[in-house]
Amino acid sequence: MSERILPGSTIGIIGGGIVSYQLVLSAKKMGYKVAVLSESQNCIAGKTADIHFVCNINDEVSLLKLAEVSDVVTVITETLDKNTYKYLAEKTFFSQNMYAHSIVKNRYLQKQFLDSHSINITPYESAVVVSDVYDAAERIGYPCIVKQENRQLYGWDNNLIIHSAFEINQTVPLIQQGLCVVESYIEKQSEWEITLCLNDEGYYTIFPPVRIEATNIGELPYIESFEEWEDLKKDTVNQMELITKVIASELGVSGTVKVSYFLTNEDNLYVNNIYTFPREHDILTIHSCSLSVFDLHIKSICNFSLPVVRQLAPTYLLPLYKGKKEALYDLMEKKNKWQFFLNDGFRHTQQEGFAQVFPINKQESLQEIKYAGLISDSVEIQDGQSEKR
């Protein structure tokens, strides 16, 4: 049995922002001390932690200092390089690893990883020069999507959808940045995410699936979390959970593993992205689940047993954008039953925070959200009602 890391010990967190901040809060309420390493003196997580190192995220001197004061270290950023992962693994108990980082960061390696485990993926090829894109598109078919080999922070990328050979010259800026992946474009019916937390012994717990939907107002999506779904079959949920378990087991990490999926009208399921730490929208689990993703990430990396997660209430989580403060304060006054999360440190520079809605009557709540201007009238919102899972 692996040793538990007990309260009173120090948890090291690499990376700042809202996710790190929520992990600091979860750790401290369980009796842990926390050291944060981030690149900003004004980092909200660093201000809340017991120790704050401010430096380049890959600075070996500061990483060594973090390792020396920490009993376990977890990474909440995708900007760490491979050498840093190797360095940390030699210095301290490290909840992630270089192999998992490579699979998460590199799309080509991720495709090979999924293919080797018989997980359904879209047809793909690599491209080094523009002529490779032509050849790949001819074999894969149009439309196709061209992506950089290495995923950028949180999966935000300069991807390009190609509808015909006449558009392929538009891929030149992407090709100039390095190897690209060309893959079939999937017309998704919906996007889903499964979150799994597991400890060092491989024991795990799974959160209910959430749906990721566009607001048609800004770049950020809104999140729906219900126990029942109209357009998600029980077999599909079981398949997503099984795939997530396989991925988590093979990556060999402890903490959080998240897998997002595209579901087509034909009920075909495709892995979209893999993450090995919590995301900002996991804030919705703080009040809607028996334990939050942040709580269970801390329990997992400290190798405690993990309970079954219960969803306590259906919920919507909606992004709030920066603008006139008076308008936001008016919204808070009018919607006094909503939960608001307003902090510095969101990864999107224009995001002010989140509003969380706990619907009693779903249809009325949906209309209320639209009238508040948080979702466009053009969006057809699902009400979440369906067969029980």
Side-chain angles (χ1 to χ4, degrees):
M1 177 178 177
S2 300
E3 184 178 351
R4 287 197 302 271
I5 297 170
L6 301 176
S9 304
T10 299
I11 297 172
I13 300 175
I14 299 176
I18 289 298
V19 171
S20 295
Y21 171 66
Q22 293 296 339
L23 289 173
V24 172
L25 297 182
S26 289
K28 290 177 80 70
K29 76 181 180 183
M30 296 181 204
Y32 292 95
K33 291 176 284 187
V34 185
V36 168
L37 188 151
S38 75
E39 296 185 339
S40 171
Q41 185 70 48
N42 295 320
C43 168
I44 185 173
K47 290 179 179 180
T48 313
D50 300 280
I51 305 170
H52 185 200
F53 299 101
V54 182
C55 62
N56 180 284
I57 211 79
N58 290 293
D59 179 69
E60 287 193 2
V61 174
S62 298
L63 287 166
L64 178 59
K65 292 179 180 178
L66 178 75
E68 287 175 344
V69 301
S70 302
D71 297 284
V72 60
V73 172
T74 188
V75 177
I76 314 299
T77 176
E78 292 177 352
T79 59
L80 229 59
D81 61 36
K82 292 181 180 179
N83 291 333
T84 302
Y85 273 87
K86 183 178 179 180
Y87 179 79
L88 281 171
E90 295 171 350
K91 302 296 181 183
T92 187
F93 180 61
F94 191 33
S95 67
Q96 288 114 325
N97 58 61
M98 188 170 65
Y99 172 69
H101 169 76
S102 299
I103 298 301
V104 169
K105 184 78 172 176
N106 187 290
R107 283 199 170 88
Y108 191 74
L109 294 179
Q110 186 178 122
K111 292 281 189 183
Q112 292 181 318
F113 168 80
L114 295 171
D115 199 19
S116 68
H117 292 89
S118 302
I119 296 171
N120 195 28
I121 58 175
T122 57
Y124 72 98
E125 293 189 22
S126 61
V128 179
V129 294
V130 174
S131 60
D132 292 338
V133 180
Y134 278 101
D135 295 339
E138 287 299 317
R139 288 189 286 268
I140 291 172
Y142 296 99
C144 59
I145 185 166
V146 182
K147 303 177 179 179
Q148 292 173 307
E149 177 190 29
N150 287 319
R151 196 174 80 183
Q152 302 304 307
L153 182 62
Y154 286 92
W156 291 10
D157 295 295
N158 295 321
N159 301 329
L160 190 62
I161 300 174
I162 302 297
H163 298 90
S164 72
F166 297 105
E167 299 178 357
I168 288 181
N169 281 337
Q170 297 175 24
T171 66
V172 170
L174 286 179
I175 290 291
Q176 288 176 337
Q177 296 178 49
L179 189 143
C180 289
V181 175
V182 184
E183 60 184 58
S184 292
Y185 177 75
I186 299 299
E187 194 68 49
K188 66 179 180 180
Q189 183 266 335
S190 55
E191 182 176 354
W192 303 85
E193 184 178 82
I194 296 286
T195 300
L196 178 149
C197 292
L198 73 163
N199 64 19
D200 195 47
E201 295 176 337
Y203 293 102
Y204 63 86
T205 189
I206 295 184
F207 283 79
V210 300
R211 191 206 309 262
I212 302 171
E213 291 279 4
T215 63
N216 287 2
I217 291 177
E219 294 180 14
L220 297 169
Y222 76 96
I223 312 297
E224 302 172 320
S225 180
F226 297 103
E227 288 186 305
E228 304 174 10
W229 297 96
E230 185 178 83
D231 55 352
L232 186 63
K233 298 175 182 176
K234 183 177 180 181
D235 287 346
T236 305
V237 175
N238 292 339
Q239 186 181 356
M240 288 194 293
E241 290 182 348
L242 177 60
I243 293 171
T244 305
K245 291 175 193 175
V246 170
I247 291 173
S249 175
E250 293 299 320
L251 290 180
V253 301
S254 58
T256 302
V257 173
K258 303 171 76 69
V259 183
S260 64
Y261 298 88
F262 287 160
L263 185 64
T264 68
N265 289 322
E266 296 77 27
D267 285 335
N268 293 322
L269 195 64
Y270 297 93
V271 171
N272 179 37
N273 270 324
I274 302 172
Y275 304 86
T276 54
F277 50 82
R279 301 176 71 188
E280 290 177 351
H281 61 244
D282 288 321
I283 282 174
L284 71 85
T285 62
I286 294 174
H287 297 298
S288 67
C289 292
S290 51
L291 285 170
S292 73
V293 172
F294 309 107
D295 293 338
L296 286 174
H297 185 86
I298 297 298
K299 284 178 173 285
S300 297
I301 65 174
C302 293
N303 205 34
F304 275 83
S305 59
L306 305 174
V308 174
V309 177
R310 294 180 295 109
Q311 183 157 5
L312 304 179
T315 188
Y316 298 104
L317 189 73
L318 303 128
L320 299 171
Y321 290 94
K322 292 180 179 178
K324 294 181 179 179
K325 293 289 186 181
E326 294 78 9
L328 175 59
Y329 300 152
D330 286 345
L331 181 65
M332 294 175 68
E333 174 65 25
K334 293 175 182 177
K335 308 302 179 186
N336 55 20
K337 293 182 180 179
W338 292 9
Q339 181 74 48
F340 288 85
F341 298 90
L342 306 176
N343 292 108
D344 296 327
F346 285 96
R347 70 186 189 276
H348 193 291
T349 56
Q350 294 303 309
Q351 185 172 5
E352 188 78 59
F354 287 112
Q356 188 168 13
V357 181
F358 300 94
I360 297 174
N361 182 297
K362 293 186 177 71
Q363 290 298 332
E364 289 182 3
S365 293
L366 297 174
Q367 291 304 318
E368 189 178 12
I369 292 168
K370 281 192 174 184
Y371 291 151
L374 301 185
I375 296 177
S376 169
D377 285 339
S378 64
V379 174
E380 183 180 346
I381 309 177
Q382 307 295 328
D383 66 7
Q385 297 180 16
S386 78
E387 60 177 299
K388 288 192 178 288
R389 296 198 293 114

